[in-house]
Amino acid sequence: MSSQNPILVDDRQAQTLLCASRSTLYRLRRAGLLRCVNIGGALRYHLSDIEKMASSGASSRSLQSAVRPSIAALDA
């Protein structure tokens, strides 16, 4: 059985790759748009998810606007 381990990046690397703030990453996680793994108290993000967002041409502003409706639904 072959199992591929995902490549994970830390918070700062995810911010750099997405040109997003720490609070935007939090909103993406909360909205379920960005998977993360907690390893020893530190969050790690799947590089494949980051690359998909980055390749879709998502800017920091568009990421924030995409997250707002999802957050509103969670708060309702």
Side-chain angles (χ1 to χ4, degrees):
M1 176 189 262
S2 82
S3 162
Q4 285 187 324
N5 293 329
I7 297 174
L8 303 173
V9 297
D10 65 20
D11 199 53
R12 199 168 293 264
Q13 291 168 321
Q15 288 176 47
T16 301
L17 292 168
L18 288 174
C19 299
S21 68
R22 188 174 193 177
S23 58
T24 298
L25 290 180
Y26 169 78
R27 288 190 296 269
L28 290 167
R29 287 193 316 265
R30 185 166 177 219
L33 300 173
L34 186 60
R35 295 181 297 163
C36 66
V37 178
N38 189 335
I39 301 175
L43 292 178
R44 299 292 185 251
Y45 301 90
H46 293 255
L47 181 60
S48 60
D49 292 347
I50 302 285
E51 289 174 336
K52 285 177 193 171
M53 283 188 174
S55 68
S56 71
S59 66
S60 180
R61 185 172 302 268
S62 67
L63 287 173
Q64 291 174 6
S65 62
V67 170
R68 283 193 184 104
S70 300
I71 294 297
L74 290 174
D75 291 336

